[in-house]
Amino acid sequence: MSTETENKSKDLLRGGQFLVKETSAENVFTPEDFNEEQKMMRDSVREFVDREIWPRKEEFEKKNYELTEDLMKKAAELGLLGVSVPEEYEGLGMGFVTTMLVVDHISGATGSFSTAFGAHTGIGTLPITLYGTEEQKQKYVPKLATGEWFGAYALTEPGAGSDANSGKTKAVLSEDGKYYSITGQKMWISNAGFCDLMIVFARIEDDKNITGFIVENDPENGISMGEEEKKLGIHSSSTRQVFFNETKVPVENMLSERGNGFKIAMNALNVGRIKLAGACLDAQRRVITSAVNYANDRVQFKTPIAKFGAIKSKIAEMATSAYVGESASYRAAKDIEDRISIRQESGASHQEAELKGVEEYAIECSILKVAVSEDLQNCTDEGIQIYGGMGFSADAPMESAWRDARITRIYEGTNEINRMLCVGMLIKKAMKGHVDLLGPATKVADELTGIPSFETPDYSELFAEEKEMIAKLKKVFLMVAGSAVQKYGPQLEDHQQLLLASADILIEIYMAESAILRTEKNAKRFGEDSQKEQIAMAKLYLYHAVDTINSRAKEGIVSFAEGDEQRMMLMGLKRFTKYQNHPNVVELRNTIAEKVISENKYAF
Ligand SMILES: Cc1cc2nc3c(=O)[nH]c(=O)nc-3n(C[C@H](O)[C@H](O)[C@H](O)COP(=O)(O)OP(=O)(O)OC[C@H]3O[C@@H](n4cnc5c(N)ncnc54)[C@H](O)[C@@H]3O)c2cc1C
């Protein structure tokens, strides 16, 4: 390992460790750290979207599936379908951060294109690049990377949604051992209407776990499709049922090993989840920009509505959620990229390194999926409100943005499933000794019975109080989740409402900390004055995070602890969520809103 790699490795936290270790601002990657190549990539994607997708926004509402397919071909001509694919398979071989940057900016105009792009480049291609044999990769990946072929991913079935491993689709080996015969029904398959290849999951005999197969879409081979689904949103994204009737698949098209399909499905989804967070970012920026354009133009009571405190408050909150989402998404993306390069430099193949690199941050991937999809939903909802009656009209951009946003809370694992996963995975990591939760949790328990310090802290440095607050919020998680684990052990899984509350605490900590670290880093290098609004956003987000954490933790404590234990934990909660100096929330919002309103766009 080179010295540079060793240093990188030393500073890089493991997935989930953010909860028990402090990250310094210098070690966090921010959107202000993009290199020239990344900025060029971002600008060319933006230019593509502004030229080809945004002007056709209305057309996307008319169930024009061909339009989506045509634009996918155009994206392919620019190389955008192969950004993360290694060069030897005709991709651009770019790093994880650049891949995020592309998915972020290509997804801003409409969920229809975003879904088609995500299904093809993510779950439709990745299982082969991550798990395929050399022959499989040579045969299929160049076709997918160049858009000669389009991919889809067929996991869900009528009876197997969240419980993805329970599918009934069967794969039966032929007598001559040359092929599998696949029979079954898949549902909700994105890109089904125009795909050339599908990653299909089926069960061999009575195996415990499903198996993955690469299946070419050939109607002559027992494959038929249902009609296009009639959906609430993403109207030009093709979504169909797919029926397999003794579809013959050569044995060499099995992905990885027999019974490994569930693992493939889950790992493809880890990548899918962080990219879905990325895919919600530019959608938020565009919604904010449209909303503020409207608010500056629309006059009521002889005043542009942007001047009203009620509207300013919405604009400030919308901008804050987008800024925080960006901060956390790119922080995690770079951690993944670094972990991949560390593994590669230690001798792992690209395939192995990418697989393990993303798996390491599966907790962060779930956190981001939940947080950013919900932020987008809120953002589009407030966007409608700012437009008033026009917001409800299909002639204005908010109506479709709101409908399109809704699916992001459902696919790639529902937000309930992802909430439970992120806490569950963290506890598993602790049990395996990958993240030490027990030590810090014991310290918090001791602190609860100890005497609090009455020293007057020095908060003169930027974010001194906020960083102290983040440290205290981490104690809240350790106190609540730690006691819950102690009380219920492995049965904690059955206490879903407790898991959901713990997940919200975890999510808020990661998001708030990411925004503070990004802003601190930028304030140090560009000067505090240049970051006035960003500082306000980091503080505003933290203020809300403290409230959410307080209420979710309280809910947990009063539900599973009793008597003295409950009283002690509630006192601890009060101490750990206490501001010495409350921020002036209205002033923070006004600072943020005034910047967005004066620039007439999302300005960060
Ligand atoms: C437009 C669209 C595109 C899609 N694209 C694809 C695709 O390309 N490929 C593919 O394979 N799939 C795809 N899906 C399927 C999608 O991933 C599933 O819809 C999703 O995983 C949820 O499964 P389900 O619909 O069966 O809901 P269910 O699993 O029936 O869930 C219903 C509700 O119950 C909750 N729930 C379920 N289990 C639990 C539990 N254990 N504990 C607590 N709550 C639970 C869920 O959170 C949800 O709120 C797509 C779906 C849609 C709508």
Side-chain angles (χ1 to χ4, degrees), residues 42-205:
R42 177 195 60 195
D43 294 344
S44 68
V45 173
R46 260 195 209 155
E47 197 266 329
F48 170 71
V49 174
D50 287 338
R51 177 168 37 92
E52 301 284 355
I53 307 184
W54 187 258
R56 298 188 169 96
K57 217 169 146 41
E58 279 182 33
E59 195 53 37
F60 274 103
E61 296 318 304
K62 297 180 185 151
K63 305 189 179 174
N64 187 342
Y65 308 104
E66 290 76 28
L67 175 64
T68 303
E69 193 181 337
D70 284 350
L71 288 170
M72 283 288 284
K73 286 186 183 139
K74 286 196 172 157
E77 283 163 22
L78 296 175
L80 299 176
L81 302 189
V83 178
S84 65
V85 172
E87 282 166 293
E88 66 251 49
Y89 308 110
E90 294 186 36
L92 299 179
M94 291 183 162
F96 203 86
V97 171
T98 310
T99 312
M100 273 290 276
L101 205 49
V102 170
V103 83
D104 169 352
H105 288 276
I106 211 157
S107 305
T110 160
S112 295
F113 185 81
S114 165
T115 300
F117 183 85
H120 171 81
T121 57
I123 49 185
T125 303
L126 262 176
I128 313 182
T129 55
L130 292 182
Y131 287 95
T133 60
E134 194 49 43
E135 292 72 37
Q136 289 169 343
K137 286 193 278 185
Q138 294 284 358
K139 184 168 178 191
Y140 294 114
V141 177
K143 284 193 168 77
L144 293 167
T146 56
E148 186 186 334
W149 278 21
F150 289 117
Y153 174 90
L155 174 66
T156 308
E157 298 184 10
S162 301
D163 188 6
N165 201 26
S166 68
K168 291 197 168 62
T169 298
K170 284 275 174 206
V172 180
L173 187 62
S174 63
E175 276 181 16
D176 59 9
K178 288 196 173 144
Y179 62 86
Y180 282 94
S181 179
I182 295 187
T183 300
Q185 180 183 1
K186 295 289 175 178
M187 194 170 185
W188 302 118
I189 307 309
S190 301
N191 293 356
F194 66 97
C195 72
D196 303 281
L197 174 154
M198 281 174 261
I199 308 295
V200 179
F201 296 89
R203 192 176 310 279
I204 301 172
E205 296 173 350

Side-chain angles (χ1 to χ4, degrees), residues 408-482:
T408 60
R409 290 164 55 198
I410 297 170
Y411 59 20
E412 307 277 351
T414 65
N415 282 14
E416 291 75 23
I417 295 290
N418 272 292
R419 277 189 160 87
M420 288 184 288
L421 269 178
C422 63
V423 178
M425 289 188 289
L426 185 62
I427 294 173
K428 274 203 191 108
K429 273 196 149 189
M431 289 184 171
K432 281 189 187 161
H434 294 173
V435 177
D436 175 24
L437 292 188
L438 190 65
T442 314
K443 267 200 204 145
V444 176
D446 291 345
E447 198 179 330
L448 287 180
T449 49
I451 301 163
S453 151
F454 291 104
E455 275 173 40
T456 317
D458 174 12
Y459 291 140
S460 53
E461 246 184 57
L462 175 67
F463 289 139
E465 178 160 11
E466 286 74 16
K467 285 165 76 175
E468 187 186 273
M469 180 64 90
I470 291 282
K472 291 192 292 185
L473 296 178
K474 291 179 181 179
K475 291 180 188 175
V476 174
F477 180 87
L478 291 166
M479 174 175 79
V480 175

